[in-house]
Every structure is written in C-alpha cells, then in structure tokens.
Amino acid sequence: MTVPGGKEADAAAAKGARGPLATVLAANAVSITGNSLTLIGVPWFALDTTGSPGKAGLVAFCAALPVLLSTLAGGPVIDRLGRRRVSIASDLICGLALASIPLLHRLGVLEFWMLCALMAVNGLCHAPGEMARHVLVPDLAQRAGTALPRAASLYDAVARGARMAGAAIAGLLVAFLGADTVLLLDAATFGLSALLVTAGLRGVPAAEPMRDGPPLSPARYRADLREGYAYLFRSRLMLGIMIMVMVTNGLSQSWSSVLLPVHAREELGGPAAQGLLVAVFGGCALAGALLYGAVGQRFPRRAVFAVGFLVGGAPPYVVAALTDTTAPLLVTMAAAGFGVGVLNPILTTVMYEQVPDALRSRVVGASTAGVLLTTPLGGLAAGFLVERVGLTSTLLGIGALYFLTTLAPLVFPAWRAMNTRPPEDIPAGSGPADSGPAGSGPADSGPAGSGPVDSGSVDSGSVSSSGPSTPVPVPGRGGTPPRR
C-alpha cells in the first residue's frame, strides 16, 4: 500500500534539510569571490593612485587591524544577535564601504585617508559575517545528513574555488577596465551574498539569536569572552597551531598585499599575471581540499599537515626572488596550492569535533583573533622593507622565516596529538582538554579570511588555538544557554 505523497514528502524534506547548507556554501562562495576581487583590486588601486609600495602596505594595515579587533571581541555578539543577522549586516556594510571608494574617486574627492578609513570599515565588518557562516556548518551538515569531515572539506573547497575564480576575473578586469571597476563588482557580490542568506536561512534555529540567556550586559559579555578564551587555552597542540598560523598569516599578508603586486608590476607584466598566479594557486588548493575530503582520512593528520605547510609556505617567495618570468612561479604556485589545500579541512575538522555549539562562536572568535595578531603588520612591514632593502632581499628574508616556522609540526612533540581522534561514543566537544585534539578548539583569513589572507595562508576562521598542558575539564554545554 502506497502512502499518498510519501516519496514526494521524503524528497521535499531531504531537499529542505540540504537547503540551508547549500545556502551557506553559495553565500560564502559569492562573498569570497568578492574578497578575491578586493585582494587584487585594492593593492593595484593604491599603487595606481599613490605610486608607493609603502602606502599600499599602509592600506593593507588599515584593512587588517580592524579584522583583528572584530574577531577578538565579536563571538558573544554574534551569538546574541544571531548568525543570520550578523552575516546579512556584515555583507551590506562591506558592500557600501567598497562601493564608496571608486565613487568618491570618480568624483575627484577621494583622499588617501578616506581610502584607509573605508578599508578599515570593510575589515571591521567582514570578519564577523564570515565567522557567522563558518560556525553554522556543523549544525547544517547534521541537518543535511553530511559527514562532518566531508562538510569541512566541501566548505573549504568552495572557498578555494571562489578565490580561484575571483582572482582570475580580477586580474583581467584590473588590466582592461581598471581597479575601480573591480571594487564596484566586489560591492555587488556582498549584496548578493546578503540576499542569499536572507532567503535561505530563515527559520533555521542555529542561525537565530539566543532566546533563553540573560541579557548581554558588560559583565555577561566579559564572562562570555572569558569562557571562550578559557576553553581555547587548554591544549598545548592548539597553542602551537595558533602561534604557527599567527606567524604564517602575517607573512602571507605581506605576499598578497605588497610583494606579489610589486613583483607582478616590476617583473611579470602587470595585474593579469598576478590574477593568473592567484587563480592557479586557488584551483590547485581547491583540488587539494577535495582530494583530502575523499582520501585524507586514511593518512595521519600531522604528517599531511606538515608536508602541506612546507610545500605551500616558503617556495613561492624564494622562486619569486630568483626569477623574473611567470612560468617558474606558476609551477611553484600550483604545487603550493595543493599543499595549502589540505590545511583548513584538517584544522576545521578538529575544531568541529571538539567545540560545543554553545561555545563555538566565542572559541572561533578567540582563536581567529590569535592567528590574526600579525596580519596588520604583514603588509606594513613588507612595504617598508621593499622601499628600504629592495624586493629580492625582502622575498628571501620572509621566505626563510616562513620555512623555519613551518618546521614546528615536525619538531615539537605536542603536535603528535593532532593524529588522535575522539572516541566514537563520546560526543564532540565533551572530552577532556588534553585528550588528543580534544579541547583543541579551533580557529581562516580568511577572510578570512580569510580568511583574510587569500594567497597562501590558512583561513584564519579555521585555525585553532590552544592552551596549558595541565588537564582541565572543558566547559560543558551548560556554559551558555542553548538556542531556541
């Protein structure tokens, strides 16, 4: 006997369960495509309008410092306001800030300080939106019936693909239409991302504000922050990860905001070559993320992570310093992309396995702030060094520092805990802080970020941070009232 509408109802329910996860992936892809436009468009806009690598580095500093501030203190705010609302507001404000730059320039009233201020607004508001989408993935994956490691790899693969497409488009647009046109398109991508989240996450409980908790008073806000940082600083492994990625994100910021644009302008023929390099890097990083999602669980995390960072870190700097043609650097960027592609899925999986949903926004915010501490200085220092000692010396010096930093997983014993997975019968986030990656709360860009840094860095939103060696019970789910 057939139940009327039974199969159709099941199909509709499955589609509805998968819809929110697909929405977050699509919105993040659109937003990160825009970030890639900014990554190439803003340095070239600064170089075209000022002619100074130092000022281009100062613009990068003004864009990166507010990202640190917003991630440092934004976790409790994201939970209280709601992840959907924060994502929408973040995209709308960033779109308006970026659209203002070319419009003011075309009106002939844009001053250098205005450029710095508008990029600071973009940095301040972009990170909370990306973080809000990032911390939704475990809930949406469970809703869609998708395994967590696969969802984490898919999330990173979509981000990598968006960076690849955005970089290729941006390089061509800057070359043929100008950097100001790229910034207008970037503003449009933020608007589209806001529309997707508005429509696709309505009614999803994990995306809504907390309803049962006490009001967010200054005392409650400080307590929420302490809870996130206390959870974070309990694992030697995660402390090592935070310090390592903090250094490498700063070095990668110097590459994306100053060193690669200057090298492309002086040696490679312009922004189209830069766009090609970043696109190839992004495409290979996408392939690396997908490959890890398919077969990566068969291999020890620590070994894969160490090799990925060694291949994806220092080589582009060294090759750029030793060659003035595109082909050798293109091959190097392809190999680096494969290496970097495996990093965020590993770190994101560790975070998703261990951090309770009630603490996830705060722990991700705290860990992201940690790994972003050096990004404001990356572009600023690179611009200063290029003007003082030259591009080649700067590339070799930063490459050497990058190589030494990426030896950490092979040198320090605490990194062995990365290979330990929590027992199958213990819920993620409920184990003791030092039981393998347990307690290894997480942490992208990014933008970020980025992850904030798109050319070779680990996305700060996916990187973890850590803490003391003394075993301390991690906060339970009762630490913060659940969502309703």
Side-chain angles (χ1 to χ4, degrees), residues 32 35-36 38-40 60 63-68 70-71 119 122-123 126-127 130-131 160 163 245-246 248-250 252-254 256-257 344 367-369 371-376 443-463:
I32 289 175
N35 288 345
S36 294
T38 301
L39 178 71
I40 293 179
L65 181 61
V67 176
L68 169 62
S70 64
T71 54
M119 288 306 299
N122 179 70
H126 171 67
E130 193 163 304
M131 189 192 311
R160 299 290 184 185
R163 290 189 182 101
V245 179
M246 179 179 67
T248 59
N249 273 2
S252 294
Q253 177 74 357
S254 72
S256 62
S257 63
N344 281 338
S367 55
T368 301
V371 301
L372 290 179
L373 281 173
T374 59
T375 53
D444 182 26
S445 274
S450 107
V453 184
D454 292 329
S455 66
S457 74
V458 177
D459 179 3
S460 62
S462 309
V463 178

Side-chain angles (χ1 to χ4, degrees), residues 119-473:
M119 288 306 299
V121 170
N122 179 70
L124 182 67
C125 296
H126 171 67
E130 193 163 304
M131 189 192 311
R133 293 188 292 271
H134 181 254
V135 297
L136 276 170
V137 171
D139 298 280
L140 302 185
Q142 183 179 24
R143 182 187 181 106
T146 302
L148 192 52
R150 189 174 300 277
S153 295
L154 183 60
Y155 184 89
D156 192 61
V158 168
R160 299 290 184 185
R163 290 189 182 101
M164 173 186 64
I169 294 169
L172 294 174
L173 289 177
V174 170
F176 293 107
L177 299 179
D180 54 350
T181 301
V182 171
L183 296 182
L184 287 173
L185 288 174
D186 190 2
T189 65
F190 278 111
L192 179 56
S193 175
L195 287 175
L196 288 170
V197 172
T198 300
L201 293 184
R202 184 179 285 110
V204 176
E208 297 303 317
M210 286 183 183
R211 303 295 186 190
D212 299 330
L216 186 58
S217 64
R220 180 68 255 174
Y221 179 79
R222 291 193 296 270
D224 283 351
L225 281 180
R226 283 196 301 270
E227 210 171 3
Y229 281 95
Y231 186 100
L232 193 61
F233 284 89
R234 288 192 182 121
S235 164
R236 287 174 293 179
L237 167 65
M238 302 317 298
L239 179 60
I241 291 175
M242 188 192 73
I243 294 173
M244 177 180 176
V245 179
M246 179 179 67
V247 175
T248 59
N249 273 2
L251 300 178
S252 294
Q253 177 74 357
S254 72
W255 171 261
S256 62
S257 63
V258 176
L259 298 179
L260 182 57
V262 172
H263 182 62
R265 185 181 66 169
E266 294 183 357
E267 306 289 352
L268 305 181
Q274 181 187 354
L276 175 63
L277 291 168
V278 177
V280 167
F281 174 89
C284 292
L286 168 62
L290 291 174
L291 183 63
Y292 183 82
V295 301
Q297 296 301 304
R298 303 175 186 177
F299 303 97
R301 290 174 177 173
R302 180 192 181 202
V304 175
F305 185 83
V307 171
F309 240 138
L310 286 170
V311 172
Y317 297 84
V318 177
V319 173
L322 301 179
T323 183
D324 57 0
T325 56
T326 303
L329 188 55
L330 192 66
V331 173
T332 306
M333 290 289 280
F338 274 109
V340 167
V342 306
L343 303 181
N344 281 338
I346 292 174
L347 297 178
T348 302
T349 299
V350 170
M351 183 272 286
Y352 287 160
E353 287 176 347
Q354 305 306 324
V355 182
D357 176 65
L359 294 174
R360 197 174 294 138
S361 293
R362 278 167 278 164
V363 173
V364 170
S367 55
T368 301
V371 301
L372 290 179
L373 281 173
T374 59
T375 53
L377 301 176
L380 189 67
F384 176 82
L385 288 172
V386 168
E387 292 190 343
R388 294 298 186 276
V389 303
L391 179 61
T392 300
S393 297
T394 302
L395 285 166
L396 289 174
I398 292 179
L401 181 57
Y402 213 131
F403 174 74
L404 292 175
T405 303
T406 52
L407 292 176
L410 302 176
V411 173
F412 297 105
W415 288 80
R416 296 171 187 164
M418 182 175 275
N419 291 334
T420 306
R421 292 171 172 80
E424 300 256 340
D425 57 339
I426 297 178
S430 63
D434 281 352
S435 60
S440 62
D444 182 26
S445 274
S450 107
V453 184
D454 292 329
S455 66
S457 74
V458 177
D459 179 3
S460 62
S462 309
V463 178
S464 297
S465 178
S466 87
S469 56
T470 306
V472 180

